[in-house]
Amino acid sequence: MRFARTLGAAAFAAAATVLATSPAYAATYTAHPHYMNKGSAVFDSSTNTLKVCDNAADGLSVMVTIEDDGNFFGYNMTKGSGECQTYKPKLHNGQRFTLQAFNGKNGKDVPGSRGALVYGIV
């Protein structure tokens, strides 16, 4: 019985070490405004970075929202055609979030441009 307890404790310690040193879940999540060629937002969970790109010189910006457990983050990309900007949203490991991109003008969304919600985990 003593051997089984010792073996069980050693197995638990080994599993805890593996879990503690395992890398965080890493994935990228991409959201587009409804007008697909008008921009993109790519969130990389391994680096906790959001890259927002505006693909069209049309006077519209690409706007992005990220929401996680009640925290709301908004980003606005206004540089124009082919330009990108990177942000650090400060999401926490293990949190679920939603990401959405849309086109905007003067800080307001263009009706009908909101893309589908993208769901992810950091």
Side-chain angles (χ1 to χ4, degrees):
M1 184 68 165
R2 185 179 206 173
F3 175 74
R5 250 189 260 155
T6 304
L7 185 60
F12 177 77
T17 302
V18 169
L19 288 174
T21 59
S22 294
Y25 180 72
T28 57
Y29 302 91
T30 304
H32 296 280
H34 181 67
Y35 311 116
M36 293 290 282
N37 63 339
K38 305 275 182 166
S40 64
V42 178
F43 177 72
D44 184 334
S45 68
S46 65
T47 59
N48 205 7
T49 55
L50 173 68
K51 186 175 181 181
V52 181
C53 298
D54 187 348
N55 302 335
D58 56 5
L60 299 176
S61 63
V62 174
M63 301 175 77
V64 179
T65 60
I66 293 181
E67 191 168 355
D68 73 343
D69 296 335
N71 296 312
F72 181 82
F73 305 95
Y75 303 93
N76 192 9
M77 172 63 208
T78 58
K79 290 187 176 184
S81 181
E83 298 289 328
C84 296
Q85 193 163 342
T86 302
Y87 301 95
K88 293 288 257 180
K90 296 183 183 176
L91 300 178
H92 304 291
N93 281 340
Q95 277 191 308
R96 297 181 188 283
F97 66 91
T98 59
L99 172 68
Q100 186 175 45
F102 50 97
N103 293 116
K105 187 164 186 154
N106 300 324
K108 297 184 180 183
D109 63 327
V110 173
S113 72
R114 285 188 176 266
L117 286 172
V118 174
Y119 297 92
I121 187 166
V122 180

